Amino acid sequence: MQDNLVRATLDRAVCVCMGGRVCRRRNRLLRGSGRIDGARLPFNGMGLECLEYAPEPQNWSRAQGYSPSADVLTVKSVDLCTEENGKDHHTKRYELMSRDEYSGKIPKLVVRRGQPFRLRLVCDRPYDRARDALSLIFTVADEDQPTHGHGTLVGIPVNQFPEQLGEPEEWGAAIEAINGDLLQVLVKPAATAPVGQWKLDIDTKLLSEAFGKSYSLPQAFYVLFNPWCPDDLVYMEEKAHRHEYVMSDTTLIYRGSYNRLRPSVWKFGQFEKHVLDCSLLLIAKIGKVSATHRGDPVRVCRAISAAVNSPDDDGALMGNWSGDFSGGTLPTKWVGSVEILQQFYKRQKPVKFAQCWVFAGVVSTICRAIGIPSRVVTNYSSAHDTQASLTVDYFVDKSGKIMEEMNADSIWNYHVWNEVWMQRPDLGISSDGDYGGWQAIDATPQESSDGMFRCGPASVLAVKLGEVLKPYDNNFLFAEVNADKVFWRYTGPHHPLKLLRKDVLGIGLFISTKAVGRWDREDITASYKFAEKSEEERATMLKALKQANSYFSRYYLNEEFNEVYFNFELRDDIKIGEPFSVILTVKNRSSENRHVVEGSLHVDTVLYTGKDRESVKVDKFSVTLEPGTEESIRMIVEFHEYYRKLRDQAAFNISCMATVLDTEFEFYAQDDFRVRKPDIKISLLGKPVSQAPVDVQFTLENPLPIPLHKGLFHLEGSGIGKPLLFKHAEIAPGEKVSNTFTMTPPYSGRLTLAAKFTSKELDDVDGFLAFLAHPRPEDIITEVEDNVIVARTDVID
C-alpha cells in the first residue's frame, strides 16, 4: 500500500481509504503526517483520508494497474428513516419530512445536531466487518469551496459499534445493526455544526484494496439547532418550555395600551411548506452569515434581526407607519408568518407591509424553524430614545399642545420584540451568574447598530443589571424599559425651558408574553428591571447613566405645592361606536386659601408609536375652588367626533394642561388608551377528533351605529390548509353575522383557529379558539392511571 502511495505523483495523490480518487483542490500527496493546511484529518487505520476529491484522470488508474474490485460493497439506496428520525429529533411535523410518493416530491430528512440519527443502507450484499470499510463525507450544500478547516466539509470513518460516536463537538458515525443486505448506521452531527442543508457521500472499499465505490445521497438533508441537546448552546432543560418555545406553532401577541392589554393570535407555522428553506435563505443570503458561522446562535440571531426588515438589504418585510398602505397589505390584516415567508421565498422581494408585531411574529417563526427557542415579547409604554440619553423628552406649548416638530424621542403605546434562548459564553460572568438565558432581539428598524438596522441579541439579565455597554445594543434595550419621561414647557428660542413633570415610573410597563402551556399572559417585567421605586432600580439607573457617559439636564424645577390636587380619569372600558368621557378632578386641600385654576383638556388620535397625532377635541376650563372644595371637569367625546379621525389601531392620547393662577404652579399629565373592538366568537359544533371532520362556526356583531361595507373574514388554523375567506357586502348596525365551515384536525393534541375581520369602516378585529383534538379510537395505545391517553397521532416532545 505504501508503495502505491509512493508511485502516486505529487499532482495526482490518491487517498487509499476513500477509494483511491484524486484530490482535486490540494493536488498534493498526503503523507504520514495526516495533516493538510495544518488541520488534522481523520484516520481509520488504513491510510489517510483526503477530504477533497475529483474524478480519476482518464486511463490513469488503468495505466497504474488499479481497478475497482467487483466485490466492493455497493450501496444501492438509502432509507432516511423519516418516521423514526422525525420522532426522535422532534422534526416529523416539518412538511419536508411528511412528503410521500403521492405528493410527487421526495421527502427530505430534517434532524438536529448533537444527536444521532439513523440511516438504513440497502447494499448489494451483507456488510462484512472483517473485509469492508465505510466512510461518510459531509459538505455544506451551498458552499462553493467547502473546507475541513472551516467545518464545512467533514470526512469520518464509520465505526464498528454504536457507542463509538465520539465527543459531542465531533461528527461521528457507527454501525448500529446488520440485517442481511440492510446496514443500519447511526450518524451524529457535531453539537456545534453549522445549521443548514448538507450533502452526503458514502464511500465503500475493501480493507485489502486501495480503490472503492461511492454513493451520493440524491437530496440534501437539514441539520438544525438542538434545544434537546445539553451540549448545544441553545439547550433548554424544561420539557414544557421546549414544547412552548420550539414546537408550538401558534402564540398570543399582546397589543393595545398599558391600560387595555389586548391579545391577538399569531400563527407561526414553522413547519409549513417553504418556511424552513426561506429561513435558511434569509440567514445565508440576506443576513450574509457564512456557512462557517451558521452554528453560532449569536451570529445567526443578530443576522435574523437584520434580515427580516428591508432598509439595508431588501429583507423579508417592509415597515410602514405612514397610514397609507396602498400597494400592500395592512399590517393589522396579517394573522401569521406563513403567507409572508412563502411570498418572500417565491419573489425574494420585501413583503409589504409590517409593523413591530409582524416583524416579531416572523422572527419567532424563523428561530423556531431552525431550532432556536423563541418567544414574542410586548413592552407597554416603550421608549424610543434616539439620542442615547436614557430620557424621553416632550415639549409642549403654553396651551398644553405637544410640539411634534421638536420631539425626536417617542413613547410607543406598546412595542413588540423577541427573546431567544441561548448561552452567552462571549459575555463572561456577572455578579448574578452568567449572561445566558433569554436574549432580546428586535427586527423593527428603529435605530442602526454597526451600520445596519438590527438589534441584539442583548442579554436580558445584562439589561436588568444596567450593563449598557455589553454587546449587542443593551443600551437601546435598557432605555426602552427604563428611560425617564420628561415634559418641558417651551415658550420660544429665547426663553429657558421649564420642567413641567418628570415621570420615572411611566416607561416599561407590563412586559408580556404568552404563558407556558396556557392561553394567558405571563408578566416578565421583573426579568428586565428591578421593582420601581426600589433602591436597586435607582442604583441601576445611575450605573447605566455613568456607563453611557450621559447625564440629566434640569433647567428649572417646579416648586413644591400641594394645596391643589389633580386627578386625571378615563373610563376603563370604552367600546368603539360609543361616546366616552374624560374627567379631571381638582381638589383644594387648603382650609384657608381660595384658588383659581385654568387649563384645557385635549384628546388626540395617534399612531401606536405615539407619532402623527391629530386633534379630536379641546375643551378649555376655568374653576374657582373655595377652601376644602372639589370640582370635576368632564369632556364628552361623541362617536361622530372621533370616528373619522381614528388612526391605525384606534389609539388615543389624552392630556391636560392646568395652571393655578395665584401660585403659577403648572400641572401637566397625559395618558394613552385604546377603544375596545369586538371579538370574533369561534365555536366547534361537534367533538374534535384527529383526522375526522368537524364543523366550526364563527360570529361577529357590528358595534358601530353605521353599516359595515365590504366585510372580509380571514381564517387560518391547523387542519384548514389554505386560508379561508368569507365575504359580506354589508352588515347593518347591530347585526350579527355567522358563517360555518368544516375542518379536519390533522393530529390529536392542542390546536388553534385564528380569525381576522376587515371592512371599510372597521378593521383589526380578530378572534381565536384553542382546543384539544382527541385521538381516534383505533389510535389509542394505552390509557394510564391518571387518564392521560397516549396515541400514535400525538406530537410527542
Side-chain angles (χ1 to χ4, degrees):
M1 186 180 299
Q2 291 301 319
D3 291 340
N4 290 340
L5 276 175
V6 171
R7 286 202 304 271
T9 59
L10 287 175
D11 61 343
R12 290 176 176 174
V14 292
C15 167
V16 294
C17 56
M18 304 302 277
R21 288 178 293 178
V22 178
C23 175
R24 69 176 168 210
R25 291 198 181 97
R26 295 292 186 260
N27 288 327
R28 79 181 55 154
L29 181 63
L30 304 180
R31 298 192 183 274
S33 65
R35 295 181 179 271
I36 189 165
D37 284 354
R40 178 71 185 174
L41 298 180
F43 181 67
N44 71 355
M46 289 304 301
L48 301 173
E49 292 185 2
C50 173
L51 299 181
E52 298 179 0
Y53 305 123
E56 298 173 31
Q58 188 174 8
N59 298 325
W60 182 78
S61 61
R62 185 164 56 249
Q64 296 295 325
Y66 292 104
S67 60
S69 169
D71 201 25
V72 171
L73 184 73
T74 300
V75 177
K76 299 166 65 177
S77 64
V78 175
D79 178 2
L80 300 177
C81 305
T82 53
E83 184 69 27
E84 299 161 64
N85 289 325
K87 181 179 179 181
D88 293 343
H89 286 252
H90 316 280
T91 57
K92 70 177 182 179
R93 289 173 61 187
Y94 283 92
E95 180 271 341
L96 291 157
M97 292 276 282
S98 61
R99 294 173 177 175
D100 53 36
E101 58 197 65
Y102 303 106
S103 69
K105 293 186 176 180
I106 301 174
K108 290 190 175 183
L109 182 62
V110 183
V111 295
R112 301 185 188 275
R113 65 186 192 176
Q115 177 180 342
F117 63 91
R118 181 174 290 109
L119 297 175
R120 288 194 185 94
L121 281 55
V122 180
C123 304
D124 63 339
R125 62 170 174 79
Y127 179 88
D128 186 343
R129 296 180 191 270
R131 300 175 58 214
D132 296 318
L134 193 66
S135 296
L136 306 181
I137 313 298
F138 302 92
T139 54
V140 173
D142 63 344
E143 189 75 353
D144 291 333
Q145 293 187 331
T147 60
H148 177 74
H150 290 164
T152 55
L153 186 150
V154 179
I156 55 173
V158 177
N159 293 313
Q160 296 292 333
F161 302 103
E163 60 271 16
Q164 298 174 322
L165 289 175
E167 296 299 320
E169 295 79 18
E170 300 174 346
W171 288 71
I175 295 171
E176 184 181 29
I178 302 171
N179 186 7
D181 293 346
L182 288 180
L183 179 63
Q184 195 158 288
V185 174
L186 292 178
V187 179
K188 177 186 64 65
T192 56
V195 165
Q197 292 194 62
W198 287 78
K199 296 178 183 178
L200 169 62
D201 292 315
I202 303 171
D203 284 1
T204 57
K205 65 176 291 291
L206 295 174
L207 293 175
S208 60
E209 298 289 339
F211 289 88
K213 296 180 179 180
S214 182
Y215 173 89
S216 295
L217 200 66
Q219 70 275 3
F221 69 98
Y222 296 76
V223 175
L224 308 181
F225 289 101
N226 193 352
W228 285 262
C229 176
D231 300 300
D232 197 313
L233 287 174
V234 304
Y235 172 63
M236 182 170 263
E237 186 174 3
E238 294 290 333
K239 176 182 177 181
H241 289 187
R242 292 194 301 263
H243 187 87
E244 182 68 48
Y245 301 129
V246 184
M247 299 299 294
S248 179
D249 67 353
T250 312
T251 195
L252 294 177
I253 298 180
Y254 285 84
R255 296 192 284 141
S257 57
Y258 80 92
N259 48 20
R260 175 152 294 287
L261 280 59
R262 179 197 173 207
S264 57
V265 73
W266 187 268
K267 177 78 172 179
F268 290 132
Q270 67 267 38
F271 306 115
E272 302 294 327
K273 184 178 181 180
H274 297 321
V275 169
L276 178 56
D277 284 318
C278 186
S279 301
L280 296 173
L281 172 76
L282 284 164
I283 293 166
K285 184 176 179 180
I286 307 300
K288 295 181 173 58
V289 181
S290 68
T292 304
H293 296 122
R294 287 178 212 155
D296 180 358
V298 174
R299 288 180 186 252
V300 168
C301 287
R302 185 154 173 80
I304 290 171
S305 76
V308 170
N309 62 57
S310 64
D312 306 305
D313 45 25
D314 290 333
L317 281 161
M318 181 180 293
N320 185 347
W321 290 265
S322 70
D324 178 7
F325 302 104
S326 55
T329 299
L330 190 73
T332 52
K333 286 188 177 181
W334 298 114
V335 295
S337 308
V338 176
E339 188 178 351
I340 293 169
L341 290 172
Q342 287 177 343
Q343 186 175 325
F344 180 82
Y345 188 66
K346 181 179 179 180
R347 302 176 184 174
Q348 296 196 24
K349 291 181 180 179
V351 177
K352 302 174 182 178
F353 292 105
Q355 292 178 358
C356 66
W357 73 94
V358 182
F359 286 114
V362 171
V363 165
S364 268
T365 295
I366 294 170
C367 291
R368 293 187 185 196
I370 64 174
I372 297 177
S374 175
R375 64 186 182 184
V376 178
V377 172
T378 301
N379 178 41
Y380 287 96
S381 296
S382 185
H384 180 184
D385 178 16
T386 61
Q387 299 162 337
S389 64
L390 300 185
T391 62
V392 177
D393 299 296
Y394 281 97
F395 301 91
V396 300
D397 61 17
K398 287 185 284 189
S399 67
K401 182 180 179 182
I402 294 284
M403 304 178 71
E404 289 273 10
E405 67 277 8
M406 294 187 64
N407 295 325
D409 296 341
S410 60
I411 299 172
W412 297 30
N413 282 7
Y414 65 90
H415 181 47
V416 185
W417 61 72
N418 302 84
E419 288 179 355
V420 287
W421 181 271
M422 67 184 71
Q423 296 305 308
R424 290 296 300 273
D426 57 311
L427 297 184
I429 303 294
S430 76
S431 56
D432 284 25
D434 64 64
Y435 291 102
W438 289 117
Q439 315 288 313
I441 62 173
D442 191 351
T444 301
Q446 291 180 290
E447 300 292 325
S448 64
S449 172
D450 296 331
M452 296 184 70
F453 282 99
R454 55 187 171 185
C455 184
S459 165
V460 173
L461 175 60
V463 171
K464 180 174 183 175
L465 297 178
E467 298 286 355
V468 296
L469 298 183
K470 292 284 185 184
Y472 294 89
D473 309 306
N474 285 51
N475 57 339
F476 187 79
L477 263 297
F478 183 87
E480 285 187 298
V481 300
N482 276 304
D484 284 350
K485 187 177 1 177
V486 185
F487 296 96
W488 306 90
R489 192 181 72 177
Y490 178 79
T491 54
H494 304 297
H495 298 271
L497 292 168
K498 183 174 183 179
L499 177 64
L500 295 174
R501 187 176 180 212
K502 180 176 69 173
D503 183 358
V504 300
L505 306 176
I507 300 295
L509 306 174
F510 302 112
I511 303 176
S512 305
T513 191
K514 179 186 175 297
V516 175
R518 295 180 290 113
W519 291 92
D520 296 312
R521 185 181 77 91
E522 180 183 349
D523 192 299
I524 57 172
T525 309
S527 66
Y528 279 88
K529 55 199 296 189
F530 293 101
E532 298 289 1
K533 298 184 179 180
S534 66
E535 291 183 8
E536 295 94 338
E537 189 271 335
R538 281 291 97 188
T540 302
M541 185 62 153
L542 293 174
K543 172 184 176 182
L545 288 168
K546 185 176 180 181
Q547 287 190 21
N549 195 27
S550 180
Y551 58 91
F552 289 122
S553 297
R554 298 291 181 254
Y555 295 111
Y556 289 91
L557 294 176
N558 274 323
E559 297 176 2
E560 286 294 325
F561 179 76
N562 297 315
E563 288 190 356
V564 177
Y565 168 78
F566 295 86
N567 187 32
F568 202 24
E569 293 182 7
L570 182 69
R571 204 177 84 202
D572 182 51
D573 189 17
I574 301 172
K575 298 177 183 178
I576 193 166
E578 298 180 353
F580 63 87
S581 58
V582 179
I583 302 171
L584 177 68
T585 303
V586 188
K587 183 177 182 179
N588 186 356
R589 295 193 282 201
S590 172
S591 59
E592 301 176 356
N593 299 322
R594 177 174 178 257
H595 293 293
V596 177
V597 180
E598 292 184 352
S600 55
L601 291 169
H602 301 253
V603 173
D604 301 326
T605 56
V606 292
L607 294 176
Y608 81 98
T609 61
K611 293 287 190 179
D612 198 19
R613 67 183 60 236
E614 182 178 359
S615 177
V616 172
K617 194 170 186 178
V618 180
D619 272 3
K620 294 184 178 181
F621 63 86
S622 177
V623 294
T624 300
L625 296 171
E626 299 296 334
T629 62
E630 178 179 304
E631 294 284 345
S632 292
I633 298 97
R634 178 187 297 267
M635 178 170 65
I636 298 176
V637 183
E638 301 288 347
F639 173 76
H640 71 270
E641 291 180 300
Y642 70 78
Y643 171 67
R644 295 296 175 189
K645 296 182 178 181
L646 276 180
R647 302 301 180 86
D648 180 31
Q649 301 184 62
F652 289 86
N653 180 264
I654 59 174
S655 60
C656 171
M657 179 75 175
T659 303
V660 182
L661 295 184
D662 54 332
T663 66
E664 295 190 357
F665 174 80
E666 292 181 309
F667 168 81
Y668 183 84
Q670 71 163 12
D671 207 348
D672 302 305
F673 72 97
R674 186 183 188 279
V675 293
R676 182 164 68 85
K677 294 184 178 181
D679 296 323
I680 301 170
K681 300 186 184 303
I682 308 174
S683 58
L684 300 176
L685 302 181
K687 180 181 178 180
V689 177
S690 170
Q691 301 179 45
V694 62
D695 289 335
V696 183
Q697 184 181 69
F698 61 92
T699 305
L700 176 69
E701 180 178 352
N702 178 8
L704 303 187
I706 58 175
L708 307 179
H709 296 94
K710 295 185 177 180
L712 177 67
F713 289 93
H714 179 124
L715 282 99
E716 288 191 11
S718 303
I720 290 181
K722 292 183 178 180
L724 300 178
L725 303 178
F726 297 85
K727 296 181 180 180
H728 291 266
E730 182 174 323
I731 305 174
E735 179 185 356
K736 280 187 178 180
V737 293
S738 296
N739 294 90
T740 304
F741 66 92
T742 302
M743 66 160 292
T744 302
Y747 51 84
S748 63
R750 293 185 295 174
L751 300 173
T752 55
L753 294 172
K756 180 78 73 172
F757 174 80
T758 58
S759 68
K760 290 181 65 177
E761 296 78 14
L762 180 68
D763 63 6
D764 197 18
V765 174
D766 53 21
F768 73 93
L769 175 68
F771 63 95
L772 187 69
H774 299 271
R776 298 179 301 172
E778 61 266 34
D779 283 331
I780 296 178
I781 298 173
T782 182
E783 294 191 29
V784 295
E785 291 182 1
D786 57 358
N787 295 321
V788 175
I789 296 174
V790 178
R792 294 187 184 90
T793 52
D794 285 342
V795 178
I796 305 297
D797 181 87

